[in-house]
Amino acid sequence: TLRTIVVDVVDLAYEMCFQHVCEISGMAYPTDLEYGRGWKLVRNEWQRVITRMSKFPYSLVFISHSKVETIESQAVKRDRIIPSMTGQGSKDVLALCDLVLYCYMGEYAAKDEEGKVTGEIESQRMIICQGQNSVVAGDRSGKLPPEIPMSYEELVKYYPDTEK
């Protein structure tokens, strides 16, 4: 039975929506219409599609790649990892999401049975579950810790009512 819909990669879905709206509206680009009307058409169609999908009786997962954005303030200039899908399309997707997770491959110093560092490097896939200055992430449920190993078994520990 179908339980989850995965949109991989949501960036491409938005691009297809963008192209579709331009075609049916006779625009080469949304700025062809005055006063932001072209962008409004794209946004309305995008919101219609993702909102409709969110109303299906299934879990909905959006996957986006990441990119680094440089943020400058008066005091500091720093890099932040954000979804590669930017602009209004990204804002609309993020507004729907209960979980915004960033997955990465972490590297750690290997330790022996006694806990001493061996000089080797171990890799482990990890999930950042709560936002940081350097990564966009979030958990509206408040159930997840800041970071967990990437595995289904680890994730369902925080949602004990999840069907196994």
Side-chain angles (χ1 to χ4, degrees):
T1 53
L2 181 64
R3 294 184 184 159
T4 304
I5 297 172
V6 178
V7 181
D8 184 10
V9 184
V10 70
D11 311 52
L12 296 177
Y14 180 78
E15 184 61 31
M16 289 188 291
C17 176
F18 178 94
Q19 290 174 1
H20 170 73
V21 171
C22 286
E23 282 178 25
I24 65 172
S25 302
M27 303 181 290
Y29 200 76
T31 54
D32 291 351
L33 299 181
E34 295 177 339
Y35 308 110
R37 285 185 25 224
W39 285 112
K40 180 73 171 162
L41 290 172
V42 172
R43 183 172 189 205
N44 286 348
E45 180 63 10
W46 179 243
Q47 286 180 332
R48 184 188 70 77
V49 169
I50 64 172
T51 301
R52 190 170 202 188
M53 288 183 358
S54 74
K55 292 181 180 179
F56 292 153
Y58 312 117
S59 297
L60 181 59
V61 176
F62 295 107
I63 297 174
S64 180
H65 292 283
S66 63
K67 69 179 187 179
V68 177
E69 169 187 73
T70 301
I71 299 171
E72 294 184 48
S73 70
Q74 292 177 345
V76 69
K77 183 178 182 179
R78 64 181 153 83
D79 290 336
R80 186 173 193 202
I81 300 170
I82 64 171
S84 59
M85 179 183 168
T86 57
Q88 192 59 52
S90 180
K91 289 177 187 174
D92 293 335
V93 169
L94 290 172
L96 279 177
C97 294
D98 291 327
L99 298 173
V100 177
L101 307 174
Y102 175 70
C103 303
Y104 72 101
M105 183 67 77
E107 291 184 345
Y108 306 94
K111 296 181 181 177
D112 61 20
E113 297 83 29
E114 298 171 4
K116 294 182 181 177
V117 175
T118 65
E120 300 292 318
I121 299 292
E122 291 182 347
S123 297
Q124 182 177 13
R125 292 181 177 167
M126 299 295 292
I127 302 173
I128 294 177
C129 309
Q130 295 178 15
Q132 306 170 356
N133 287 338
S134 60
V135 178
V136 170
D139 168 26
R140 288 191 182 156
S141 74
K143 295 180 179 183
L144 296 173
E147 189 172 20
I148 61 173
M150 185 191 302
S151 75
Y152 180 77
E153 293 77 18
E154 187 68 30
L155 190 59
V156 297
K157 285 180 187 177
Y158 301 95
Y159 297 94
D161 296 334
T162 302
E163 193 174 313
K164 306 292 187 247

